[in-house]
Amino acid sequence: MHQLRRLEVISFVEATTLLLLLCVAVPLKHMVGVKSAVHVMGPVHGVAFLVYVWTAIQTVSGSGWSRNEIARLMVGAIVPFGGFLNLGFLARRAASLA
């Protein structure tokens, strides 16, 4: 249960950093010329993504996860808003284990 809660939090952080990168930093770079926004948010999101992938691997390594569920977790990290969609999935998974 603790590992699922950790994955939920990290999923939220990863999804939020991706949206900030795509919806704030990239437009600032291209519309206003503020390149530092991408230079800051890019690495922040990169670290959040790596932490998410590592935590997801740790979580599913305990078995009991189907290939479709594992694929959903990984694809959700790449697609904008996917991390937020995974929050509901993870909450349902935690409820079923409780």
Side-chain angles (χ1 to χ4, degrees):
M1 283 300 278
H2 177 69
Q3 188 68 20
L4 275 176
R5 179 67 183 138
R6 180 184 303 164
L7 186 59
E8 284 183 67
V9 170
I10 294 171
S11 179
F12 178 79
V13 170
E14 190 276 333
T16 302
T17 61
L18 178 60
L19 286 180
L20 287 173
L21 180 63
L22 294 177
C23 297
V24 177
V26 171
L28 280 174
K29 176 184 176 182
H30 293 289
M31 292 179 179
V32 185
V34 181
K35 295 180 181 180
S36 62
V38 173
H39 289 290
V40 170
M41 278 310 299
V44 169
H45 172 67
V47 169
F49 177 78
L50 292 175
V51 170
Y52 174 82
V53 169
W54 179 251
T55 305
I57 289 170
Q58 287 178 327
T59 302
V60 301
S61 67
S63 75
W65 292 77
S66 72
R67 287 182 180 175
N68 288 340
E69 292 172 329
I70 295 168
R72 177 186 176 140
L73 289 175
M74 294 305 157
V75 169
I78 298 168
V79 176
F81 298 107
F84 295 120
L85 295 175
N86 277 343
L87 291 176
F89 167 69
L90 292 169
R92 288 189 302 276
R93 177 77 182 205
S96 71
L97 294 174

